[in-house]
């Protein structure tokens, strides 16, 4: 499979089901959800679509005290559908996953793609 070059600072926002076709192998991603299981080295994160993804965090990382978080990490190349942890950002206890799921639907609609791409929001010369 040929990996497309990833734009610096532009990371796809995904749900666990986004990993099913294997197209994101080796890609740095943003994963929003809540930790539903923690065995120390792997957090199981439930995403906006209700499905879960294992995130390998290593023994030295402890989950944040809040319910919801954003995880930046790399999807494994081996097809295991695991994400290797880079960093987590706390989103608090009242993050609305239903609204987030709707935003993901809009983002994936080609009609609105330019609003979410790497150049979205940049000033344009006239």
């Amino acid at each position: 499979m040929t990996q497309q070059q990833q734009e610096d600072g532009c990371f796809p926002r995904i749900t666990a089901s986004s990993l099913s076709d294997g197209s994101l192998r080796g890609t740095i991603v943003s994963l929003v959800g809540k930790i539903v299981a923690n065995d120390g080295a792997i957090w199981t994160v439930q995403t906006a679509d209700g499905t879960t993804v294992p995130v390998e965090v290593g023994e030295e990382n402890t989950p944040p005290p809040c319910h919801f978080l954003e995880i930046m990490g790399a999807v494994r190349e081996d097809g295991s559908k695991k994400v290797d942890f880079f960093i987590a950002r706390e989103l608090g206890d009242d993050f609305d996953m239903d609204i987030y799921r709707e935003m993901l639907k809009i983002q994936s609609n080609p009609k609105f793609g330019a609003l979410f791409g790497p150049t979205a929001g940049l000033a344009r010369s006239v």
Side-chain angles (χ1 to χ4, degrees):
M1 178 179 299
T2 304
Q3 179 71 31
Q4 190 175 24
Q5 183 65 29
Q6 189 167 358
E7 183 89 27
D8 283 344
C10 185
F11 312 109
R13 296 182 178 277
I14 67 164
T15 61
S17 59
S18 303
L19 301 173
S20 62
D21 70 359
S23 65
L24 293 171
R25 290 181 187 178
T27 304
I28 299 171
V29 296
S30 168
L31 184 70
V32 170
K34 63 181 177 179
I35 298 171
V36 294
N38 173 9
D39 78 357
I42 297 178
W43 299 345
T44 302
V45 177
Q46 183 179 29
T47 62
D49 62 0
T51 59
T52 60
V53 62
V55 178
E56 183 134 355
V57 296
E59 297 289 338
E60 68 280 358
N61 291 299
T62 57
C66 65
H67 285 97
F68 298 99
L69 66 157
E70 175 185 28
I71 294 171
M72 301 298 290
V75 178
R76 291 242 176 119
E77 293 271 1
D78 64 7
S80 65
K81 299 179 187 169
K82 284 186 181 176
V83 173
D84 289 323
F85 176 86
F86 293 160
I87 192 166
R89 188 173 319 163
E90 295 181 32
L91 297 177
D93 294 329
D94 59 353
F95 187 84
D96 192 321
M97 292 294 278
D98 292 330
I99 291 174
Y100 186 74
R101 183 178 53 250
E102 291 304 311
M103 187 277 302
L104 290 174
K105 288 178 187 176
I106 292 169
Q107 175 182 312
S108 66
N109 183 331
K111 179 178 177 181
F112 303 111
L115 298 174
F116 296 97
T119 59
L122 296 179
R124 306 233 194 283
S125 301
V126 179

